[in-house]
């Protein structure tokens, strides 16, 4: 193995402990998950599942390491686990040239270990007896069994490409024949919508794209957004129907002109939110330029207009700030914590700009360790090096108890918080966290990496009445004219440029599918099952109710069918 000081890059040795800690946690979580019962579930129906489970778990581990950990980092990752009775397993995982070599080494270890021994030795002897003590026959049988799992057959990038192709196909259906038929149904509904409709918030998507490829992102392929020459219609529409707007679509760092125009043009809007990934914050000057331009846009509003403020939302979690191994084998941060520190350090100087860090919930959210470890701990250390001290002002738990993805224990977690730099005690920074749904790249996330809402899904499915908490059905306006639901951007209600705002707003109020999504209406499951036989599979795959109802409605033909049935 090469010298890790050279591999990691002499100037980024500080990242090595972070990388190893994260990968060790992922590795350990996968082993614990499988030995706690998930491997036996994979082996369901196999009469020797109990004897096979331990060995197959570590055969999985051999493949997991080759899939996720470059050769030069495998030994230091496994070094932490080499004490005790399973040291031989770590040696096999590190040094076996192939899966077959790993299996043979495992068999040979227990055959040369005098008994009586641990349960794993007795399991292996029973498996050998099953194959008439033929080592090669057993190895071949185990490798065939592994092949049947169909795991780690392709590199993640190839799987991402397949998911992206599916996404591109689905967005290609937007406002095509099936969607048009659905909208015709809405237009024929006699109900007269209110003319004074107001929204708690509206969204604007000037552009769809992000240069990052975070592993949890719901988007892989993003539709190309064009038509900005007509966007004045959208600014006027949003201004007439809300006092709060979010500019989003990935990272809008290269499209800030659209945000500034909104601040200057939308008189009634008082809160202008924008989502950025923080990668712009290379240094103090870059942050001052960005925040200064935001402040200039606010000050350019005429004096008689309502006072406005900016909510600058910055993605900040274990995925955006993940430590990676690049193509050259060197360590790097996806978006360095130092850049987020630059923003936090400068933000108090701009009182009309509120910074909010957006975080994805993980195992650390279940205790105050959240503020000492993980990405927040790294932020505190970086700010500390600059002479700052963080003071947490408040924390708020989630409304529901959730399950720690590593320990399996239920409990409250830290959902929201506010903190200050003690040098600026009157300028709080906000932090809010949310769960991850398993679509897009997140389909490949491991269960231990993030909190999910499977228990909430079970509650939703078992309630006789809808819980009244579902998809956010406020509208999101794309600069190509599309109007989609806020948290279900695959559900489109028409094109504002081509059909006019009145038509689109009327559809939003009359659409039974939008109402059903807003209420997690159970009828959608029954109506879906009339056309598809995979509902049990979708329920099993779903990481929460939003994910399930997203999957139910992601195909245009199914949206048409569901709307017809809701109107029947």
């Amino acid at each position: 193995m090469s010298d890790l000081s050279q591999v990691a890059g002499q100037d980024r040795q500080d990242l090595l402990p972070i990388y190893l800690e994260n990968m060790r946690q992922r590795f350990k979580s996968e082993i614990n998950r499988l030995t706690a019962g998930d491997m036996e579930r994979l082996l369901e129906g196999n009469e020797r599942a109990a004897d096979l489970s331990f060995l197959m778990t570590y055969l999985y581990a051999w493949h997991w390491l080759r899939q996720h950990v470059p050769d030069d980092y495998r030994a230091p990752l496994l070094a932490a686990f080499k004490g005790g009775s399973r040291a031989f397993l770590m040696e096999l995982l590190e040094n076996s040239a192939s899966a077959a070599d790993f299996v043979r080494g495992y068999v040979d270890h227990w055959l040369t270990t005098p008994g009586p021994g641990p349960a794993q030795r007795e399991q292996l002897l029973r498996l050998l007896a099953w194959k008439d003590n033929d080592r090669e026959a057993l190895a071949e049988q185990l490798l065939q069994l592994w092949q049947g799992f169909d795991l780690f057959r392709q590199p993640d990038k190839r799987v991402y490409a397949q998911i992206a192709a599916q996404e591109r196909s689905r967005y290609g259906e937007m406002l095509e024949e099936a969607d048009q038929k659905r909208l015709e149904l809405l237009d024929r509904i006699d109900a007269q919508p209110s003319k004074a409709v107001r929204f708690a918030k509206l969204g604007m998507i000037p552009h769809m794209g992000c240069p990052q490829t975070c592993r949890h992102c719901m988007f892989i392929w993003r539709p190309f957004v064009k038509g900005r020459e007509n966007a004045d219609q959208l600014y006027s529409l949003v201004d007439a129907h809300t006092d709060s707007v979010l500019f989003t679509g990935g990272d809008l760092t290269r499209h800030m002109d659209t945000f500034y125009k909104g601040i200057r043009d939308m008189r009634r809007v008082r809160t202008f939110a924008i989502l950025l990934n923080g990668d712009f914050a290379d240094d103090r000057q870059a942050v001052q330029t960005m925040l200064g331009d935001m402040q200039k846009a606010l000050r350019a509003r005429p004096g008689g207009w309502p006072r406005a403020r900016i909510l600058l939302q910055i993605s900040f979690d274990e995925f955006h700030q993940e430590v990676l191994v690049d193509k050259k084998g060197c360590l790097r941060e996806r978006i360095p914590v130092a850049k987020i520190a630059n923003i936090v350090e400068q933000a108090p100087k701009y009182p009309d700009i509120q910074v909010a860090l957006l975080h994805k919930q993980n195992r650390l959210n279940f205790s105050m360790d959240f503020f000492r470890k993980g990405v927040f701990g790294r932020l505190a250390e970086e700010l500390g090096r600059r002479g700052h001290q963080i003071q947490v002002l408040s924390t708020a738990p989630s409304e529901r108890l959730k399950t720690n993805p590593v320990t399996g224990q239920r409990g409250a977690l830290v959902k929201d918080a506010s903190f200050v730099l003690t040098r600026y005690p009157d300028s709080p920074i906000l932090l809010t966290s949310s769960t991850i749904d398993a679509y897009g790249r997140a389909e490949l996330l491991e269960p231990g990496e993030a909190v999910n809402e499977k228990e909430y899904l079970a509650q939703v499915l078992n309630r006789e009445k809808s819980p009244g908490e579902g998809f956010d059905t406020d509208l999101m306006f794309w600069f190509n004219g599309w109007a989609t639901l806020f948290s279900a951007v695959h559900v489109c209600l028409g094109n504002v440029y081509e059909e006019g705002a009145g038509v689109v707003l009327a559809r939003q109020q009359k659409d039974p599918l939008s109402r059903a999504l807003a209420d997690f209406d159970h009828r959608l499951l029954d109506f879906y099952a009339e056309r598809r036989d995979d509902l049990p599979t979708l329920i099993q795959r779903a990481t929460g109710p939003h994910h399930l109802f997203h999957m139910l409605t992601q195909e245009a033909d199914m949206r048409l069918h569901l709307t017809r049935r809701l109107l029947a």
Side-chain angles (χ1 to χ4, degrees):
M1 187 188 74
S2 59
D3 185 347
L4 273 182
S5 65
Q6 296 176 353
V7 174
Q10 292 284 0
D11 59 333
R12 295 320 320 259
Q13 272 297 290
D14 58 312
L15 297 180
L16 182 58
I18 300 169
Y19 172 78
L20 291 177
E21 179 183 6
N22 179 59
M23 296 307 294
R24 284 169 183 156
Q25 181 61 52
R26 288 177 59 186
F27 175 76
K28 183 179 178 179
S29 294
E30 283 294 271
I31 294 295
N32 290 343
R33 173 179 70 85
L34 293 166
T35 55
D38 276 11
M39 179 53 72
E40 289 206 30
R41 281 186 278 275
L42 274 175
L43 292 163
E44 186 177 5
N46 190 310
E47 61 182 0
R48 293 175 177 80
D51 285 341
L52 288 164
S53 178
F54 185 86
L55 171 52
M56 296 305 293
T57 291
Y58 279 91
L59 185 55
Y60 175 101
W62 185 92
H63 285 89
W64 186 93
L65 288 164
R66 270 73 191 166
Q67 182 86 348
H68 297 299
V69 183
D71 293 349
D72 289 315
Y73 294 92
R74 211 168 290 144
L77 185 152
L78 292 171
F81 304 109
K82 285 189 175 179
S85 61
R86 296 187 183 179
F88 83 96
L89 275 170
M90 302 304 112
E91 293 291 342
L92 287 174
L93 291 173
E94 178 185 342
N95 298 315
S96 298
S98 67
D101 284 346
F102 173 82
V103 172
R104 293 187 185 101
Y106 184 88
V107 172
D108 289 345
H109 170 81
W110 289 119
L111 286 180
T112 57
T113 300
Q120 290 77 34
R121 180 179 183 275
E122 302 308 313
Q123 291 166 357
L124 187 279
L125 293 178
R126 287 193 293 269
L127 291 173
L128 267 176
W130 167 48
K131 288 298 176 182
D132 298 324
N133 292 317
D134 186 331
R135 302 184 192 185
E136 287 302 314
L138 176 59
E140 183 178 345
Q141 183 68 40
L142 294 172
L143 294 172
Q144 287 180 0
L145 182 60
W146 169 259
Q147 292 297 317
F149 289 166
D150 198 28
L151 298 171
F152 304 125
R153 290 286 187 91
Q154 302 179 84
D156 288 350
K157 288 185 178 179
R158 189 171 298 172
V159 180
Y160 289 150
Q162 294 169 356
I163 298 172
Q166 296 171 359
E167 292 177 356
R168 182 173 185 173
S169 175
R170 288 172 188 144
Y171 277 104
E173 297 177 338
M174 193 82 86
L175 295 185
E176 293 300 315
E177 182 179 3
D179 265 351
Q180 291 297 339
K181 289 181 178 179
R182 194 183 92 81
L183 297 181
E184 289 172 6
L185 292 176
L186 305 186
D187 292 339
R188 291 200 293 267
I189 298 174
D190 290 335
Q192 293 299 315
S194 169
K195 294 182 180 180
V197 59
R198 297 286 296 175
F199 295 88
K201 69 195 169 305
L202 291 170
M204 301 188 80
I205 299 180
H207 173 78
M208 261 287 188
C210 182
Q212 302 298 331
T213 55
C214 299
R215 292 188 301 112
H216 73 299
C217 188
M218 66 178 291
F219 291 104
I220 298 180
W221 185 85
R222 298 172 189 254
F224 177 66
V225 179
K226 57 184 178 179
R228 288 175 56 176
E229 63 277 4
N230 299 315
D232 283 346
Q233 299 177 45
L234 301 184
Y235 289 115
S236 297
L237 174 58
V238 170
D239 191 38
H241 293 282
T242 189
D243 59 11
S244 180
V245 63
L246 168 66
F247 282 72
T248 187
D251 178 69
L252 295 180
T253 300
R254 298 180 182 178
H255 303 271
M256 294 302 296
D257 58 317
T258 62
F259 184 59
Y260 302 143
K261 177 176 172 57
I263 295 173
R264 294 192 301 266
D265 288 5
M266 290 191 274
R267 173 176 182 164
R268 300 173 185 84
V269 174
R270 298 184 181 187
T271 299
F272 292 89
I274 187 168
L275 175 60
L276 301 176
N277 63 20
D279 205 21
F280 69 88
D282 292 322
D283 50 36
R284 178 183 304 172
Q285 183 59 51
V287 177
Q288 290 174 346
T289 297
M290 177 70 81
L291 300 189
D293 287 345
M294 291 183 180
Q295 184 171 266
K296 289 177 185 177
L298 287 173
R299 291 178 177 174
R301 291 166 64 87
W305 286 16
R307 183 175 179 177
R309 62 192 285 271
I310 289 173
L311 178 61
L312 174 56
Q313 300 178 340
I314 302 294
S315 301
F316 174 70
D317 49 48
E318 311 301 330
F319 301 100
H320 286 90
Q321 277 63 55
E322 184 175 20
V323 176
L324 308 166
V325 180
D326 66 18
K327 294 179 180 179
K328 296 181 180 180
C330 297
L331 293 174
R332 68 175 181 87
E333 291 175 277
R334 188 183 296 282
I335 299 175
V337 165
K339 293 190 176 187
I340 309 304
N342 291 339
I343 298 170
V344 170
E345 189 177 34
Q346 295 300 313
K349 302 172 184 178
Y350 301 84
D352 292 326
I353 302 173
Q354 174 67 68
V355 171
L357 304 182
L358 305 189
H359 178 267
K360 296 303 180 184
Q361 295 166 6
N362 61 37
R363 63 187 176 86
L364 295 176
N365 285 74
F366 287 86
S367 75
M368 296 305 287
D369 280 348
F370 175 80
F371 298 104
R372 295 186 288 269
K373 300 179 179 179
V375 69
F376 196 95
R378 289 161 59 193
L379 176 64
E381 289 178 5
E382 175 63 30
L383 289 166
R385 283 192 287 269
R386 305 179 186 192
H388 294 288
Q389 184 177 358
I390 285 178
Q391 178 184 356
V392 177
L393 298 180
S394 66
T395 63
S398 57
E399 295 180 357
R400 295 182 296 276
L401 297 181
K402 298 188 180 183
T403 299
N404 187 314
V406 172
T407 67
Q409 295 178 335
R410 297 275 285 166
L413 55 73
V414 176
K415 182 183 184 297
D416 300 308
S418 65
F419 65 95
V420 294
L421 303 182
T422 53
R423 191 178 300 175
Y424 305 103
D426 298 322
S427 300
I429 306 294
L430 306 180
L431 183 145
T432 186
S433 64
S434 60
T435 55
I436 298 171
D437 288 321
Y439 36 68
R441 286 191 179 86
E443 284 190 27
L444 272 64
L445 287 185
E446 295 143 17
E449 291 193 83
V451 176
N452 64 40
E453 293 277 23
K454 280 187 173 291
E455 287 81 9
Y456 182 43
L457 172 61
Q459 294 173 19
V460 168
L461 295 180
N462 290 327
R463 287 172 177 164
E464 292 184 5
K465 296 182 179 180
S466 298
E469 178 186 348
F471 279 97
D472 183 342
T473 56
D474 286 347
L475 291 177
M476 187 78 73
F477 294 104
W478 302 49
F479 273 38
N480 62 5
W482 289 350
T484 66
L485 302 188
F486 208 90
S487 64
V489 294
H490 60 293
V491 178
C492 188
L493 292 164
N495 189 304
V496 173
Y497 298 158
E498 298 171 1
E499 301 172 281
V503 170
V504 170
L505 292 175
R507 288 169 179 164
Q508 192 268 352
Q509 293 182 70
K510 296 188 292 184
D511 182 17
L513 182 57
S514 294
R515 290 197 299 273
L517 288 172
D519 291 335
F520 288 144
D521 193 323
H522 291 186
R523 291 179 297 167
L524 293 181
L525 281 73
D526 297 328
F527 297 156
Y528 178 92
E530 293 172 352
R531 291 290 186 89
R532 302 278 197 279
D533 61 2
D534 63 344
L535 180 60
T537 300
L538 296 189
I539 293 174
Q540 184 178 16
R541 283 177 51 200
T543 50
H546 287 85
H547 185 206
L548 175 61
F549 282 81
H550 181 284
M551 291 189 289
L552 295 180
T553 57
Q554 63 189 1
E555 304 291 346
D557 286 340
M558 182 57 70
R559 292 194 294 271
L560 174 59
H561 170 69
L562 296 175
T563 302
R564 284 171 171 164
R565 293 293 286 117
L566 289 165
L567 289 171

